[in-house]
């Protein structure tokens, strides 16, 4: 076996979790080495260039809830790069095929006022009346149900759940509300019990956090965050080894995969190991993680006054059972003024899919969702990007795990957990091997 200079901590994975961990640990005086399987850092935060425009091809925003990410961005000197989305409504391409604005006062599609005209337009009069029952039920009814789907169905009925909430949740969380834990919407149950109504809980939460304030991004895209962290790690002398796919994980060393030469000795790296790579082979039973794919189509379109008027606000979520194949569309130039300025009249749209689309499919879907004809010759550039995401897996109990696999999806959750883990690792005696128990 061949080895390299030992570091006291080995971080596996240079996604946002690994980069944040590496930075925080090096600031505690540790020597850190990051091992990254691919040839770039950032993981699910990435950028591509299309027709000279730099665009996010993975995560494009962060949740502002709790202020975690904002505070971290301030800490690393990016406060003045934070941008808010345009405060325009999102739309819904409903099951019946019509495209309507999402109810003005709603949270994840859960309406504050079930009988409002914009709710009736999507769920019908019967579904809306069933939704009103929520206001008559005692607060605790449904409050102990585990998922958003079960809670909404119990209080507001099937029509509101399937026609309104499901497309929004699927567009935002890539999962049906029946699979989304209520804990993923902090404050929802607390406010339900306080207000004795799910609708009034939503209204209260909306007063506290108006629509446009729920997410933010960075001027230059989310890759700006990766670049800033990489610059700091370089300054602090942290080595990042690219093309280093870890195949075997132990608490105090890892073995790299031997992808090129079967006869070569396996390479080993020593140090206290922290895993920040979703889907890494489970060292306990050798099984690999289940993977799901998300596909994005990015299109740059020729200038068009009808599109410049942002006919569907910042974007459209798509209900199942319509002729449109995309799950959601973001009108990027309508959402982010910085991209609009850089695009200089061109329009950018981003569509997400469960199966690989062709660019022609994406063009047709964009046309249907935006309600504007987009002839093929108006598509200046396009690209389809596929992301394969690993499900959560268990690893050896002695090895600390950071990142999406334990924190849940989303930059806010991942950054908060990586920082908390770094703090707890720092509190341990350097001579101890950190274990999952000691830091949980
Ligand atoms: C299309 C898309 C859009 C998204 N949009 C948003 C959004 O707008 N807002 C939001 O908050 N979140 C969004 N997310 C989710 C968010 O990007 C992720 O939750 C977050 O980036 C995960 O960070 P991570 O560091 O845990 O994992 P990753 O980013 O997956 O990083 C893991 C790293 O580990 C490396 N690695 C894997 N296996 C090994 C190995 N064996 N050895 C060494 N290295 C390895 C990988 O190459 C990768 O670099 C989006 C995700 C996708 C795919």
């Amino acid at each position: 076996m061949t080895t390299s200079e030992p570091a006291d901590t080995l971080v596996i994975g240079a996604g946002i979790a690994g980069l944040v961990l590496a930075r925080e640990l090096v600031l505690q005086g540790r020597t850190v080495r990051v091992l990254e399987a691919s040839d770039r850092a950032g993981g699910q935060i990435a950028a591509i260039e299309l027709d000279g425009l730099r665009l996010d091809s993975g995560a494009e925003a962060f949740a502002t809830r709790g202020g975690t990410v904002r505070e971290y961005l301030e800490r690393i000197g990016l406060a003045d790069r934070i941008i808010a989305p345009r405060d325009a409504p999102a739309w819904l391409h409903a099951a019946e095929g019509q495209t309507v604005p999402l109810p003005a006062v709603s949270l994840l599609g859960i309406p504050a006022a079930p009988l409002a005209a914009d709710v009736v337009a999507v769920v019908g009069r019967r579904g809306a009346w069933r939704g009103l029952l929520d206001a008559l039920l005692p607060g605790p009814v449904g409050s102990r149900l585990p998922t958003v789907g079960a809670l909404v169905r119990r209080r507001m009925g099937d029509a509101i759940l399937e026609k309104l909430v499901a497309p929004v949740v699927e567009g935002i969380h890539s999962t049906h509300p029946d699979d989304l834990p209520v804990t993923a919407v902090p404050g929802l149950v607390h406010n339900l019990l306080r207000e004795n109504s799910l609708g009034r809980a939503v209204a209260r939460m909306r007063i506290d956090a108006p629509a446009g304030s729920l997410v933010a991004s960075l001027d230059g895209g989310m890759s700006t965050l990766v670049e800033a962290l990489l610059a700091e790690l370089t300054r602090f002398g942290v080595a990042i080894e690219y093309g280093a796919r870890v195949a075997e994980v132990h608490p105090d060393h890892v073995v790299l995969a031997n992808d090129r030469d079967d006869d070569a000795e396996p390479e080993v790296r020593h140090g206290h190991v922290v895993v920040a790579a979703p889907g890494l082979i489970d060292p306990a039973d050798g099984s690999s993680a289940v993977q799901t794919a998300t596909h994005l189509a990015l299109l740059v379109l020729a200038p068009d006054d009808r599109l410049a008027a942002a006919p569907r606000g910042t974007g459209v979520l798509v209900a199942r059972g319509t002729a449109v194949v995309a799950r959601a569309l973001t009108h990027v130039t309508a959402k982010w003024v910085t991209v609009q300025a850089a695009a200089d009249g061109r329009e950018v749209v981003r569509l997400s899919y469960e199966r690989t689309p062709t660019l022609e499919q994406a063009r047709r879907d964009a046309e249907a969702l935006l309600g504007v004809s987009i002839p093929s010759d108006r598509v200046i550039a396009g690209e389809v990007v596929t992301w394969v995401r690993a499900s959560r897996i268990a690893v050896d109990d002695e090895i600390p795990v950071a990142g999406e696999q334990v924190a849940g999806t989303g930059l806010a959750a991942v950054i908060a957990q990586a920082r908390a883990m770094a703090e707890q690792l720092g509190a341990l005696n350097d001579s101890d091997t950190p274990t999952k128990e000691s830091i949980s």
Side-chain angles (χ1 to χ4, degrees):
M1 287 196 182
T2 58
T3 59
S4 72
E5 279 291 297
D8 57 47
T9 305
L10 288 178
V11 173
I12 317 303
I16 191 65
L19 296 176
V20 168
L21 259 172
R23 176 186 185 272
E24 300 307 306
L25 290 173
V26 83
L27 287 175
Q28 292 167 12
R30 291 179 177 237
T31 55
V32 179
R33 187 181 196 87
V34 182
L35 303 177
E36 167 55 45
S38 73
D39 60 0
R40 52 167 278 274
Q44 295 171 53
I45 302 178
I48 55 165
E49 205 177 291
L50 271 185
D51 197 35
L53 277 176
R54 193 172 107 126
L55 301 169
D56 280 318
S57 61
E60 59 136 16
F62 58 88
T64 53
R65 191 184 63 233
T68 326
V69 183
R70 179 176 290 273
E71 194 240 308
Y72 196 66
L73 294 172
E74 284 165 3
R75 219 170 121 99
I76 60 172
L78 289 178
D80 59 349
R81 305 287 295 269
I82 298 173
I83 51 168
R86 273 229 181 77
D87 193 10
W91 289 58
L92 175 70
H93 189 67
E96 286 72 26
Q98 84 277 27
T99 309
V100 292
L102 274 175
V105 191
S106 59
L107 182 75
L108 281 181
I110 306 169
L115 278 188
D118 50 12
V119 180
V120 178
V122 180
V123 305
R125 196 154 289 281
R126 208 185 153 96
W129 276 107
R130 168 61 186 87
L132 201 62
L133 187 62
D134 162 61
L136 307 174
L137 293 171
V141 172
S143 64
R144 307 188 88 159
L145 291 169
T147 65
V148 171
L151 172 61
V152 174
R153 189 177 280 112
R154 178 75 185 87
R155 297 200 63 97
M156 292 188 165
D158 278 345
I160 286 184
L161 177 70
E162 294 301 343
K163 294 185 172 181
L164 204 43
V165 181
V168 178
V169 168
E170 283 176 346
I172 294 172
H173 291 275
S174 306
T175 188
H176 190 275
D178 283 340
D179 297 317
L180 186 71
V182 277
T183 48
V185 195
L188 187 61
V189 172
H190 170 80
N191 281 296
L192 162 63
L193 293 172
R194 185 167 140 178
E195 300 290 332
N196 283 316
S197 143
L198 190 57
R200 284 197 296 272
V202 165
R204 163 148 298 280
M205 290 168 81
R206 272 300 186 217
I207 291 167
D208 295 345
S213 71
L214 292 177
V215 294
S217 188
L218 289 171
D219 184 359
M222 287 312 300
S223 293
T224 306
L225 169 58
V226 174
E227 281 155 17
L229 286 169
L230 283 177
E232 288 220 322
L233 294 183
T234 306
R235 198 152 54 84
F236 298 149
V238 174
I240 303 188
E241 215 178 314
Y242 293 101
R245 188 167 68 81
V246 170
E248 219 181 278
V249 188
H250 303 274
D252 60 354
H253 73 279
V254 297
V255 180
L256 301 189
N258 190 353
D259 290 334
R260 266 160 274 165
D261 181 358
D262 285 347
D263 296 331
E265 278 188 72
E267 290 195 43
V268 175
R269 301 288 179 267
H270 290 280
H272 289 169
V273 172
V274 186
V275 172
L280 193 65
I281 300 291
D282 182 346
D285 64 9
S287 65
S288 54
V290 179
Q291 299 185 321
T292 54
T294 307
H295 310 270
L296 291 184
L298 283 147
L299 301 178
V300 178
L301 307 172
D304 182 327
D305 288 346
R306 294 163 308 162
L307 291 174
R312 301 292 186 247
T314 54
V316 188
L317 296 156
V318 184
R320 290 195 183 272
T322 74
V324 170
V325 185
R327 304 302 323 138
L329 173 146
T330 305
H331 190 164
V332 181
T333 30
K335 186 169 183 180
W336 306 110
V337 278
T338 47
V339 184
Q340 186 184 42
D344 196 20
R346 291 165 295 175
E347 300 290 333
V348 180
V349 293
R350 161 176 158 139
L351 299 104
S352 61
Y353 289 86
E354 290 167 338
R355 271 170 291 150
T356 323
T358 59
L359 288 176
E360 172 55 16
Q361 177 74 62
R363 182 196 66 77
R364 282 201 307 267
D365 284 349
E367 208 170 45
L369 293 174
L370 292 165
V372 170
S373 82
I374 304 171
S376 306
D377 62 359
R378 306 300 288 167
V379 179
I380 300 173
E383 180 101 12
V384 173
V385 182
T386 292
W387 290 99
V388 179
R389 302 164 92 175
S391 67
R392 300 180 197 187
I393 54 163
V395 294
D396 189 322
D397 269 355
E398 282 186 71
I399 300 167
V401 181
E404 190 173 62
Q405 151 171 331
V406 287
T409 304
L411 303 179
V414 169
I415 292 175
Q417 189 258 350
R419 284 185 70 186
M421 173 171 278
E423 254 172 50
Q424 286 160 346
L425 285 172
L428 295 173
N429 183 319
D430 263 3
S431 61
D432 290 340
T433 298
T435 67
K436 209 152 66 175
E437 284 77 44
S438 61
I439 58 161
S440 61

